[in-house]
Amino acid sequence: MITVVDYDPAWPDRFEALRKEYAKALEAASVPVISIEHVGSTSVPGLAAKPIIDCDIVVAEHDVEAATDVLIGLGFSPLGELGIPQRWAFKEPARLAGTNTYVIVDGALSLRNHLAVRDILRADEELRDQYAAVKKRVGATAADIDDYGRGKNAMVQAILAAAGLTDAERASIDSNQVPSHDEVPR
């Protein structure tokens, strides 16, 4: 079972605290940042979600290493791309439990994926509610997080289509070879 809860109005404040911490550390290290985005289901008002705040730190490709070094300095452990090109994942330190943080290249398909899902669900209440119902149903029966992802995939593909991603872009996202969570170092 995967815990999916009703929207919590405190989620934007949790993101803002993370954004400020990341921005301050990146600025202190002179790492240029294009944006720090609240993505994932907690970024959509009214959407049920796993209570985990997802952050994309968007940088130019040549600044990925410097941004990674800053996150390591904040206590994160780098996990690599994990099968998603131009998006680097990190294991959060204990003090930031309940967060997922990524360094992502500006313009990357993975960023466009995150922003498209967020933006279409913010704009389309009916689609948001359909997705919430799927998340709750699948979360209640999923054996693990990988099963949960597979159970939502058809709905996510419909959301991406509604957001205007092309067939080729959606196929590319669908074919990402993300390792099982059992295979990811902890």
Side-chain angles (χ1 to χ4, degrees):
M1 182 170 141
I2 302 299
T3 301
V4 176
V5 299
D6 288 333
Y7 181 78
D8 184 339
W11 289 337
D13 293 335
R14 284 187 59 210
F15 164 75
E16 185 57 24
L18 291 169
R19 189 199 63 72
K20 285 180 180 176
E21 180 176 348
Y22 299 162
K24 181 179 176 184
L26 290 157
E27 182 179 354
S30 299
V31 177
V33 174
I34 294 163
S35 64
I36 300 174
E37 299 287 345
H38 187 188
V39 296
S41 294
T42 62
S43 71
V44 179
L47 181 60
K50 296 186 319 294
I52 297 171
I53 306 299
D54 293 321
C55 301
D56 282 352
I57 298 172
V58 183
V59 298
E61 190 163 10
H62 61 270
D63 293 317
V64 168
E65 186 175 343
T68 295
D69 291 343
V70 169
L71 288 178
I72 291 169
L74 291 173
F76 287 84
S77 300
L79 300 173
E81 286 185 325
L82 298 180
I84 301 178
Q86 298 186 305
R87 187 209 73 176
W88 289 266
F90 297 82
K91 172 69 179 141
E92 77 277 17
R95 70 182 178 79
L96 295 176
T99 64
N100 289 325
T101 300
Y102 306 97
V103 171
I104 194 162
V105 173
D106 187 36
L109 179 57
S110 52
L111 175 63
R112 292 185 15 250
N113 171 3
H114 283 173
L115 297 178
V117 169
R118 178 193 71 191
D119 294 348
I120 193 69
L121 292 175
R122 283 179 174 176
D124 188 329
E125 187 175 319
E126 184 176 332
L127 194 59
R128 180 200 70 204
D129 292 346
Q130 289 172 4
Y131 188 40
V134 168
K135 291 166 65 70
K136 287 180 176 181
R137 179 179 47 78
V138 172
T141 60
D144 56 31
I145 194 70
D146 299 314
D147 191 35
Y148 176 71
R150 286 187 296 273
K152 299 185 313 166
N153 190 55
M155 185 71 208
V156 170
Q157 285 293 314
I159 292 166
L160 292 171
L165 272 71
T166 67
D167 290 344
E169 290 169 330
R170 292 192 322 274
S172 178
I173 291 165
D174 197 39
S175 69
N176 284 332
Q177 296 297 308
V178 179
S180 162
H181 281 72
D182 293 336
E183 300 167 343
V184 175
R186 297 283 169 194

